[in-house]
């Protein structure tokens, strides 16, 4: 999850690409896990969130 957060913060890769690069098979599972861990969806991190 930390790897995914770093990729989202430092790159312009689509969330789907970050999902697969982080070892998740489905976007739904990735988004659910990310939100549970960091308190915001992956897309929320991109929209200027300082999580």
């Amino acid at each position: 999850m930390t790897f995914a957060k770093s990729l989202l913060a430092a790159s312009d890769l689509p969330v789907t690409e970050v999902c697969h690069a982080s070892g998740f098979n489905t976007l739904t599972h990735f988004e659910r896990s990310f939100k549970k861990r960091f308190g915001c969806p992956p897309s929320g991190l991109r929209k200027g969130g300082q999580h």
Side-chain angles (χ1 to χ4, degrees):
M1 288 274 92
T2 304
F3 175 69
K5 185 177 179 184
S6 298
L7 273 181
L8 288 166
S11 74
D12 290 328
L13 288 173
V15 174
T16 307
E17 292 292 323
V18 174
C19 165
H20 295 298
S22 302
F24 287 85
N25 293 322
T26 63
L27 185 59
T28 305
H29 184 223
F30 172 69
E31 289 177 329
R32 193 178 308 127
S33 298
F34 193 95
K35 187 171 183 177
K36 185 175 181 180
R37 172 83 185 267
F38 297 114
C40 70
S43 57
L45 187 68
R46 278 270 169 81
K47 294 177 182 172
Q50 294 291 333
H51 295 92

